[in-house]
Structures are given as C-alpha cells and as structure tokens.
Amino acid sequence: MAKTTGKPRPRKSLANLEPPARSKRPESLTSREQEILELIWAGFKNKEIGQRLRISVKTVEAHRANMMKKMRVSNTAQLLKTAIQGGVLKIR
C-alpha cells in the first residue's frame, strides 16, 4: 500500500455543479412503441398484442413501461390521453 505524503489535494466544491440539462419534452417513441401504442388504443390486451407481433407478453409490458416513463404518466389512460394531446397518437 502506497503512503501519501505532502499536502492534501483541495476538494472541488460541489456547490457550483449543476445537473445536466433535461429536455422538457419527453423522448420520442420508437417505431415498435408507436405500434404497440396503436394496438393499446385499439383495445388489445398485452397477451393479444404479443401474439399479434410475435413477441412475449413481458416484452409488451416492457415497451408499455418504457412509453409510460418517457411520457411521464402512471397509467394507461394517462398514456393514451398524453399521446393524443401530444400528437403522437392520431384518432381516426
């Protein structure tokens, strides 16, 4: 173990540090997330979406969770409302 001698290094003040800038707008959805969002809007359940897209239910749940995190919502109703208001989901 090396022994240090001499003057201790001065510590940098943390008071002047700022967190990295965060964009105010949520991240954009991937094409797969967009596809799943449209299927949620159409009324399909996770299992049905998984069968239709040939992916596991866990993958559908992960995509849904990622979308909710990106849009900063906590349930499916808020997800759909936010998507419509933000122009991410177009009502036909």
Side-chain angles (χ1 to χ4, degrees), residues 2-74:
K3 199 174 190 182
T4 58
T5 58
K7 295 181 182 179
R9 289 188 296 171
R11 290 187 160 221
K12 293 182 180 179
S13 172
L14 298 178
N16 296 332
L17 291 179
E18 292 183 26
R22 297 188 80 173
S23 61
K24 293 186 179 184
R25 304 177 88 197
E27 301 171 46
S28 60
L29 299 181
T30 64
S31 58
R32 184 59 120 184
E33 289 169 342
Q34 181 70 40
E35 188 176 14
I36 290 172
L37 182 64
E38 290 171 7
L39 291 171
I40 292 169
W41 174 251
F44 290 96
K45 296 177 180 155
N46 287 348
K47 184 177 179 181
E48 296 166 333
I49 294 170
Q51 290 170 343
R52 190 172 202 130
L53 300 178
R54 296 190 173 139
I55 58 177
S56 74
V57 174
K58 290 282 187 184
T59 302
V60 175
E61 291 170 353
H63 283 303
R64 184 188 291 246
N66 288 338
M67 287 187 282
M68 292 171 69
K69 186 175 179 181
K70 286 179 181 181
M71 297 185 131
R72 298 181 183 110
V73 297
S74 59

Side-chain angles (χ1 to χ4, degrees), residues 41 80 83-85 87-92:
W41 174 251
L80 293 172
I84 292 167
Q85 290 175 339
V88 177
L89 186 63
K90 307 249 186 297
I91 302 174
R92 294 179 212 150

